[in-house]
Amino acid sequence: MRNKGIALAALAPVVWGSTYVVTTELLPAGHPLFAGLLRALPAGLVALALTKTLPAGLWWGRAAALGVLNIGLFFPFLFIAAERLPGGVAATLGAAQPLVVALLAVGLLKESPSAWRLAWGVTGMLGVGLVVLGPAAGFDLVGVLAGLGGAATMALGVTLTKKWGRPAGVGPMAFAGWQLTAGGLFLVPVTFLFEGPPPAIGLGAVLGYLWLGGVGGLLAYVLWFRAITTLPVTSVSMLGLLSPMVAALLGVVVLGQTLDAVQLTGFALALAAIVASQRAASHHDRTLRSSFRTTSPSSSISPVGTNPYPR
């Protein structure tokens, strides 16, 4: 069952790997905020219409906070980095997210520091760098700051999503819909303030926005938020390394690019980091189960499968 959950979660970053190609080949340049808005708000409203479920109580504030972090801030950072940097540089900066999550998990989730998590996070980022960085890589300051900002905001959003869990009786689609809608509403005034009227949209852009909003937005985030609330957060964040790797493969298939020996070595390192992080998380789960079975009922250890975080 856990392997099935990991496989479904991996579909999200695999789909997100298409963002760089779609952004550069189909979308109008110079409108990253508008791209983020169309990726988030329509998908969120569709999810709310299908589920007919709204937040209650303190979850209005939590959904808004998570929506701004995971969507409202992350999307603009993502598209700004994609437009102002070579895809490889943007992807390498984004690959820092698992490292940030590992550090935040210590402070926010009270997890024990793990040298192995940090080591595999560094290995994964190094592997991604070898795959996507080239001799012509540029370092536009605004683009670099956007890339780092995106990694930081989504890492915080992912960690808080794990900390708060998901309200009882609320499914993954409704949960994703809350955040996509909140993030999209946040982007409405910001987009028109900084970018003005929407750009002219041709057929190619329409197809690009439909892909990013429907598949890369609604479907991918339903799977992603489901995984965060049911699987170890550090192992889920490592799956995000699949995104730049898929982007590189699409560059080969769609744009006619090639991969050399160094890039293939990077692929091997990144894949090793992803696999090792999943195996380590699985071992951690087995250890927790064993500890629970050998601990008296009066122990403070929570049974595996329950959510120890406040709803």
Side-chain angles (χ1 to χ4, degrees), residues 10 12-20 91 239-248 274:
V14 167
V15 169
W16 294 333
S18 65
T19 300
Y20 296 107
L239 293 175
L241 298 180
L242 290 170
S243 182
M245 296 169 67
V246 170
I274 293 170

Side-chain angles (χ1 to χ4, degrees), residues 119-139:
W120 286 122
V122 171
T123 301
M125 187 174 179
L126 174 61
V128 169
L130 291 176
V131 171
V132 297
L133 285 178
F139 291 89

Side-chain angles (χ1 to χ4, degrees), residues 218-285:
L218 182 56
L219 176 60
Y221 274 100
V222 168
L223 296 175
W224 187 247
F225 291 133
R226 177 184 180 276
I228 293 171
T229 55
T230 57
L231 297 171
V233 67
T234 49
S235 67
V236 174
S237 67
M238 284 294 289
L239 293 175
L241 298 180
L242 290 170
S243 182
M245 296 169 67
V246 170
L249 289 177
L250 287 177
V252 173
V253 175
V254 178
L255 304 178
Q257 299 170 351
T258 58
L259 297 177
D260 58 23
V262 172
Q263 291 173 300
L264 293 175
T265 301
F267 258 100
L269 285 175
L271 284 175
I274 293 170
V275 172
S277 67
Q278 306 312 311
R279 291 177 63 87
S282 179
H283 174 74
H284 179 67
D285 285 349

Side-chain angles (χ1 to χ4, degrees), residues 74-97:
F74 175 67
F75 279 8
F77 283 144
L78 173 68
F79 286 106
I80 290 171
E83 284 198 350
R84 299 185 69 102
L85 296 172
V89 179
T92 304
L93 293 172
Q97 184 201 135

Side-chain angles (χ1 to χ4, degrees), residues 36-232:
L37 172 61
L38 285 194
R39 186 178 184 181
L41 188 55
L45 293 176
V46 167
L48 293 184
L50 291 175
T51 61
K52 298 181 175 60
T53 303
L54 294 176
L58 56 79
W59 270 101
W60 281 103
R62 289 183 175 181
L66 293 178
V68 170
L69 288 170
N70 287 321
I71 309 296
L73 289 175
F74 175 67
F75 279 8
F77 283 144
L78 173 68
F79 286 106
I80 290 171
E83 284 198 350
R84 299 185 69 102
L85 296 172
V89 179
T92 304
L93 293 172
Q97 184 201 135
L99 289 172
V100 182
V101 169
L103 294 174
L104 290 175
V106 175
L108 295 178
L109 304 182
K110 308 304 179 185
E111 294 186 2
S112 300
S114 172
W116 281 109
R117 289 175 187 166
L118 294 176
W120 286 122
V122 171
T123 301
M125 187 174 179
L126 174 61
V128 169
L130 291 176
V131 171
V132 297
L133 285 178
F139 291 89
D140 174 85
L141 178 60
V142 173
V144 169
L145 292 176
L148 292 175
T153 55
M154 191 171 184
L156 179 58
V158 164
T159 308
L160 287 176
T161 301
K162 183 64 176 181
K163 179 178 177 64
W164 291 336
R166 195 172 70 228
V170 174
M173 180 175 289
F175 193 56
W178 295 353
Q179 297 188 49
L180 287 164
T181 302
L185 291 175
F186 171 83
L187 283 171
V188 170
V190 176
T191 298
F192 288 97
L193 177 63
F194 287 97
E195 293 185 355
I201 299 175
L203 177 59
V206 170
L207 295 176
Y209 288 129
L210 286 174
W211 172 261
L212 292 178
V215 181
L218 182 56
L219 176 60
Y221 274 100
V222 168
L223 296 175
W224 187 247
F225 291 133
R226 177 184 180 276
I228 293 171
T229 55
T230 57
L231 297 171

